[in-house]
Amino acid sequence: WNFSHFLLGPIYSVKIGKTLTWDLKAKLGVVNSDKPEIFISYFKNTGSGFIYNGFIYRTKSRADFSYSLGTSFRYAFTKRLALFLTGDYIHTSPNINTEIQVQNSNTPYTISSIDTNYKISSLNLAFGLVYQFKRKGNKFE
């Protein structure tokens, strides 16, 4: 699977002491989902020789609505640098079309086309260092 997303939304920050900030995030946007192509092949003995058969499960990319909810903590240890810990939940439910093709020794042909609704969610956890622009009210100013 491959996902790329573009989300926008507000971040509300709450100061907890002089160096700790808690952020609340709610975002809406679009996620593009790509399901991998699957190829299954085999050879069949017909008595007079082998013939090749294969199945290809092809899907199309699909862009759908998505939302994300998250929270993070920033601990400032200098005027501009802070330790960052975040958690974000993202959800989308794309309706992806899968085309099933048969490939044999003669010609490929499509045997079916199926629309499937996938419910996709992920929890992303991260930590690191951040550079803070125009940070006000901490003990280093």
Side-chain angles (χ1 to χ4, degrees), residues 6-8 27-31 64-67:
F6 180 77
L7 303 169
L8 292 173
K27 298 177 261 183
L28 299 174
V30 176
V31 170
D64 279 292
F65 168 77
S66 178
Y67 69 89

Side-chain angles (χ1 to χ4, degrees), residues 29-67:
V30 176
V31 170
N32 187 55
S33 306
D34 289 318
K35 184 180 174 192
E37 185 173 289
I38 300 171
F39 183 71
I40 301 169
S41 64
Y42 62 93
F43 290 91
K44 182 178 179 184
N45 188 351
T46 63
S48 60
F50 288 95
I51 63 168
Y52 164 80
N53 286 302
F55 295 94
I56 298 176
Y57 297 86
R58 285 201 169 95
T59 60
K60 297 176 183 166
S61 297
R62 179 65 193 244
D64 279 292
F65 168 77
S66 178
Y67 69 89

